[in-house]
Amino acid sequence: MEDKRASVSGAYTARYEAAQGRRHSSAAGAIQRAMKDKVDVVQADELNDADKRLAEMGYVQVYKREFSWLSCISFAFSISGLFASVATTFVYPLEAGGTASAVWCWLISGAGCMCIALSVAELCSAYPTSGGLYFTCKYLAPEAWMAEISWVCGWFNVLGQTVGLASTEYGCAQLLLAAVSMSTNFEYEPTARQTVGVMAANTFFHATLNSFNTRFLERITRGYVIFHIGVLVSCCIALLVMCDGKHDSEYVWTEVESDSGWSPPGWSFLFGFLSASWTMTDYDATAHIAEEIKNPGIKAPWAITIALGSTYVGGWLFTIVLSYCSGDIFSDNGILNSPVEQPVAQIFYNVFGRAGGVTFTAFAYVILSFTGMTGMQAGARTFWALSRDELIPLSRIWYKINQHTQTPIYATWLITLMATCVTLIGLGSYTAVSAIFNSTAIALDWSYIIPVLCKMSTNRFEPGPYHLGKWGWWINLWAAVWTIFVTIIFVLPTERPVATENMNYVSVILAGFALFAVIYWYAGGRSFYIGPRVNVEIVGDGSSQEDLDQRLNMLLLDVAFEEPSVNDLFTSLKPTSVQLLSDHCRAVVMVGLTANPRLILTQALNFALVLSTAFMLWKGLSVATDSPSPIVVVLSGSMEPAFQRGDLLFLWNRGEDTQVGEIVVYNVDGKDIPIVHRVVKRSGGGEKPIRLLTKGDNNAVDDTELYARGQNFLNRGKDVMGSVVGFVPFVGYGTILLSEYPWLKTVMLGLMGLTVVLQRE
């Protein structure tokens, strides 16, 4: 025990002596006082692998580790808000150089952003704490300047997290009000006061959700990625199918048009980098929930890599689709002059009409709302971690953990109020609040690059389970070079000539904040801040058989059967321990379900999300095909041998020039089940409605008897649901079973619900 305490004191003494040797001795006094602080002692045999690693870095575990693989990836994916972020930032490359700027700049900028993301993921794997990359300065920064570098890095992260949340919530309000305006055919025009009011309400709603426990947040985050991808894919398909006036490839990829006033156009072209850089940011958000993730050294970095890689590819493809379907851009009636000031929302309206435009704009709001919710969670954990190291004023308040939810509720409401106060500036000047929003990417990127530069210069980095190998140094180098380059682009005005209303005040905001951090450091920060602290000491190695049995019991109570640490134990456990696992599995699961009504509620919401996603995909196909039922199943043998019972048919209903011989699906008044038959006679056309007579290939007579009373022909525009354009044999036979045996529907829904409730990963 004494040896352990001596090692802790030795570490502080080394830092103290290093600080004394500086010219200003900035943190020497604080380090000397910190040497006298009480350090908690924990037994190694009471900790799982993730908690032990956290204790080795100086912190005691306070959160419950609830986030699984799917929820980690979903959380990381939600931070970018791909669909909605592209929708709200597409205006910048369009103004900078037209569609060519949009597609090429996303490809180039995304590559630079991916290098930053990979660099962040590598550091997150080596040092998985809620402090994110700020904490890594403890191990990577030069000893003599560790406190100062950590201070700067931490305050940049505070700025980025706060204004990033504010800009996200403001974007949510803009999208929601754009949908409302669109529903009135743009007769309603939102005001600044209404936008700020909706933003405040949205932010407080997200703060309420973030006041629940980690289990609740994990459950509602888990299915988000499925919903998001479903919206993105259905929107891209619908745009490509329904847009009649698509641009040609030469225009999209080579035509540079600028509305920014910059000369030459090539310089203006560079502002197209802003869309990808603003979408692919906050890379370390997943790192900030590392203390709530099972096996964070592996799951957190891979979640960052998978999510950002998907955002890179998906964002580029979505940008290409929007570019082809953008229509008129620069004229008085072009999308850049949209009444709602949202070009992508205007594209939705132009292509889909009012109903479709409102639908996809509302989907964008829901997606960006999830981004705000997860961003608030990451920001609250950031504030909490910085308070743990006493970087933020009144740290003892913000560091408190609620006893009921085991989450930092005070820190959650702190970032909520700060983000709301920032947005209130929009009541007086949208230019000023935009400048604050635009500082998000710069502040966050520099909070990442500072530790990366320390890693490259000090050679003190010890890689974790996820590392970049021999390519790591070059990826880190390009990440740093790209950050410096894009920072220059970020601080320049996007339009010329420069006037008060279009001036980019980002440089003023950043300079002012940097001045605040420096003044605060010399005014008082150096007297109490020493960098990331050591708050805990480990004793014992947990190698005895009794220690292993005790650890298994603890893991059983946490219902952590899937963790690798349990699998590692089985080779050395006593037979009684294995029997203990067998005896208690069922009991622990049932207790977890019956004792936690909130868990049941979140599982029900998760199940509802699955159903709503399926419904959304179905409606997306309906819009794309212009058919109320784009996929049908053959229920009878009237079309044999062409189609058999159980065949799955795909319909297309755009263009009503149906010819004799086509197979159509129709529905008539009084008939609940659609009928699949072939057209044998056609009349009408031109100004007269097209009339069709159908017949089943296996029937002796035509379908006159199947039509409504007094009806001898089908009305092509009214009765026909679509023409058959493809089929998959026998895949839909399950539908026949559900139709003939209705009780199977109840069984299937029950099994789906049970699967969701019992699912752990």
Side-chain angles (χ1 to χ4, degrees):
M1 177 79 70
E2 294 300 327
D3 292 340
K4 294 285 184 178
R5 292 188 180 277
S7 65
V8 174
S9 299
Y12 275 102
T13 301
R15 286 165 59 184
Y16 171 66
E17 292 174 350
Q20 288 282 17
R22 302 181 212 157
R23 180 176 300 175
H24 300 293
S25 302
S26 298
I31 294 175
Q32 188 176 35
R33 286 190 297 276
M35 292 171 59
K36 302 177 182 179
D37 290 347
K38 179 181 178 181
V39 177
D40 294 329
V41 179
V42 296
Q43 294 288 334
D45 50 14
E46 297 177 351
L47 306 176
N48 58 33
D49 293 340
D51 293 350
K52 182 185 291 186
R53 174 58 181 146
L54 183 64
E56 289 171 353
M57 293 186 289
Y59 298 131
V60 64
Q61 177 68 24
V62 298
Y63 296 109
K64 291 185 177 180
R65 297 187 182 272
E66 301 284 1
F67 277 74
S68 61
W69 269 113
L70 179 59
S71 49
C72 279
I73 294 173
S74 186
F75 183 94
F77 194 75
S78 68
I79 286 296
S80 68
L82 168 59
F83 180 79
S85 295
V86 172
T88 54
T89 61
F90 190 60
V91 59
Y92 296 103
L94 286 184
E95 291 179 339
T99 57
S101 176
V103 296
W104 287 113
C105 286
W106 184 282
L107 180 65
I108 298 169
S109 182
C113 293
M114 274 306 301
C115 289
I116 302 176
L118 293 173
S119 301
V120 168
E122 184 180 45
L123 294 179
C124 173
S125 176
Y127 313 104
T129 76
S130 293
L133 264 66
Y134 147 81
F135 173 82
T136 65
C137 295
K138 173 181 178 180
Y139 292 94
L140 303 178
E143 286 270 354
W145 297 100
M146 188 274 292
E148 287 87 344
I149 293 174
S150 299
W151 178 269
V152 173
C153 186
W155 278 109
F156 266 126
N157 209 268
V158 167
L159 174 63
Q161 294 288 350
T162 303
V163 300
L165 176 62
S167 63
T168 300
E169 300 289 5
Y170 197 86
C172 285
Q174 288 180 314
L175 286 172
L176 183 59
L177 293 177
V180 174
S181 178
M182 197 179 299
S183 68
T184 65
N185 286 323
F186 304 114
E187 293 180 4
Y188 162 72
E189 294 185 7
T191 64
R193 180 175 297 181
Q194 292 167 341
T195 303
V196 171
V198 173
M199 176 272 173
N202 214 57
T203 307
F204 277 70
F205 172 66
H206 291 155
T208 302
L209 292 178
N210 272 279
S211 297
F212 289 97
N213 60 25
T214 302
R215 173 69 62 84
F216 175 82
L217 296 174
E218 187 271 342
R219 295 299 178 186
I220 62 176
T221 303
R222 174 182 292 185
Y224 163 85
V225 66
I226 301 172
F227 174 79
H228 193 161
I229 293 175
V231 170
L232 181 65
V233 172
S234 62
C235 182
C236 289
I237 293 174
L239 282 172
L240 293 174
V241 170
M242 297 183 64
C243 182
D244 296 327
K246 289 188 283 289
H247 295 299
D248 57 39
S249 295
E250 181 180 1
Y251 175 86
V252 170
W253 295 89
T254 64
E255 189 73 25
V256 178
E257 301 176 281
S258 177
D259 193 37
S260 65
W262 278 92
S263 181
W267 180 257
S268 175
F269 186 89
L270 299 179
F271 290 108
F273 291 136
L274 301 182
S275 180
S277 296
W278 276 329
T279 302
M280 297 178 64
T281 190
D282 206 359
Y283 312 94
D284 74 333
T286 308
H288 290 301
I289 64 166
E291 295 177 35
E292 300 167 79
I293 298 175
K294 305 167 186 176
N295 199 4
I298 295 177
K299 291 181 180 178
W302 274 111
I304 295 172
T305 303
I306 294 171
L308 270 298
S310 302
T311 299
Y312 178 28
V313 175
W316 188 48
L317 295 177
F318 187 37
T319 299
I320 293 173
V321 172
L322 290 174
S323 298
Y324 273 98
C325 302
S326 58
D328 188 6
I329 299 175
F330 295 100
S331 72
D332 292 339
N333 296 321
I335 59 175
L336 286 180
N337 295 305
S338 168
V340 293
E341 300 181 350
Q342 293 288 330
V344 175
Q346 188 65 46
I347 292 174
F348 292 160
Y349 182 83
N350 294 343
V351 175
F352 302 134
R354 183 171 66 176
V358 170
T359 299
F360 279 107
T361 305
F363 282 153
Y365 161 75
V366 172
I367 288 170
L368 198 60
S369 190
F370 263 98
T371 302
M373 187 191 71
T374 52
M376 181 177 291
Q377 183 179 354
R381 273 48 173 181
T382 302
F383 280 34
W384 176 85
L386 297 176
S387 299
R388 177 168 58 186
D389 297 329
E390 298 189 16
L391 183 142
I392 301 177
L394 304 177
S395 290
R396 293 187 179 183
I397 297 176
W398 318 127
Y399 179 60
K400 290 182 179 180
I401 296 292
N402 184 271
Q403 296 181 353
H404 300 288
T405 64
Q406 294 297 304
T407 54
I409 291 181
Y410 291 134
T412 298
W413 286 95
L414 172 63
I415 192 172
T416 298
L417 294 175
M418 290 177 63
T420 304
C421 290
V422 166
T423 312
L424 291 177
I425 299 174
L427 293 174
S429 171
Y430 181 74
T431 302
V433 79
S434 294
I436 297 175
F437 293 162
N438 294 346
S439 65
T440 300
I442 301 177
L444 289 176
D445 285 356
W446 276 100
S447 74
Y448 309 145
I449 293 304
I450 290 173
V452 171
L453 291 173
C454 291
K455 168 181 177 282
M456 297 173 64
S457 60
T458 60
N459 199 29
R460 298 171 58 195
F461 175 67
E462 296 182 5
Y466 174 106
H467 58 89
L468 302 176
K470 63 181 181 180
W471 298 103
W473 194 89
W474 296 104
I475 292 174
N476 296 160
L477 177 63
W478 184 248
V481 170
W482 178 257
T483 299
I484 295 171
F485 168 73
V486 81
T487 298
I488 298 173
I489 303 297
F490 269 120
V491 300
L492 293 174
T494 58
E495 297 181 18
R496 295 192 67 184
V498 179
T500 304
E501 60 272 9
N502 63 10
M503 173 61 185
N504 188 351
Y505 294 97
V506 172
S507 56
V508 178
I509 300 297
L510 292 173
F513 192 81
L515 182 63
F516 158 77
V518 171
I519 293 175
Y520 186 27
W521 171 258
Y522 284 104
R526 59 179 177 171
S527 66
F528 59 80
Y529 179 74
I530 62 171
R533 296 170 179 260
V534 173
N535 299 327
V536 68
E537 174 189 346
I538 307 177
V539 295
D541 59 4
S543 60
S544 67
Q545 189 64 54
E546 290 75 11
D547 291 336
L548 292 173
D549 290 347
Q550 182 181 6
R551 186 177 174 192
L552 176 61
N553 279 284
M554 179 186 68
L555 292 171
L556 280 168
L557 293 176
D558 287 339
V559 202
F561 308 121
E562 74 280 16
E563 285 299 296
S565 55
V566 175
N567 298 329
D568 296 340
L569 287 173
F570 275 114
T571 57
S572 57
L573 286 176
K574 291 180 179 179
T576 55
S577 300
V578 178
Q579 185 62 42
L580 179 65
L581 176 61
S582 175
D583 292 343
H584 290 284
C585 278
R586 185 188 304 274
V588 172
V589 171
M590 294 308 297
V591 168
L593 290 175
T594 57
N596 195 343
R598 187 175 295 161
L599 172 62
I600 298 175
L601 175 60
T602 53
Q603 293 287 29
L605 292 175
N606 195 41
F607 183 48
L609 180 60
V610 172
L611 295 179
S612 63
T613 301
F615 177 76
M616 180 272 300
L617 290 173
W618 178 261
K619 287 301 181 183
L621 284 174
S622 297
V623 171
T625 61
D626 195 26
S627 173
S629 183
I631 302 175
V632 298
V633 175
V634 179
L635 300 179
S636 71
S638 63
M639 280 300 294
E640 294 178 355
F643 297 129
Q644 306 292 328
R645 294 186 72 204
D647 288 355
L648 198 68
L649 308 183
F650 301 96
L651 308 186
W652 185 259
N653 199 35
R654 294 197 172 275
E656 298 184 357
D657 190 20
T658 304
Q659 301 298 324
V660 173
E662 285 190 35
I663 299 175
V664 298
V665 177
Y666 67 88
N667 202 353
V668 296
D669 294 338
K671 306 285 186 179
D672 294 331
I673 300 177
I675 299 173
V676 184
H677 280 174
R678 192 184 302 275
V679 176
V680 296
K681 187 175 181 180
R682 178 183 185 274
S683 63
E687 296 181 358
K688 296 181 179 180
I690 297 176
R691 300 194 303 170
L692 306 174
L693 180 64
T694 56
K695 173 182 174 297
D697 290 358
N698 199 30
N699 291 348
V701 297
D702 60 40
D703 295 346
T704 306
E705 294 297 326
L706 299 178
Y707 301 157
R709 179 173 298 180
Q711 184 179 8
N712 297 320
F713 293 92
L714 296 176
N715 184 311
R716 175 61 182 85
K718 177 182 177 182
D719 300 323
V720 176
M721 302 168 60
S723 299
V724 178
V725 293
F727 78 101
V728 179
F730 303 116
V731 172
Y733 211 88
T735 303
I736 297 177
L737 295 177
L738 292 176
S739 178
E740 295 179 351
Y741 304 100
W743 57 270
L744 285 176
K745 297 180 182 179
T746 304
V747 173
M748 185 183 69
L749 290 174
L751 290 175
M752 291 175 61
L754 186 62
T755 300
V756 171
V757 170
L758 296 180
Q759 184 180 4
R760 290 289 301 172
E761 284 285 345

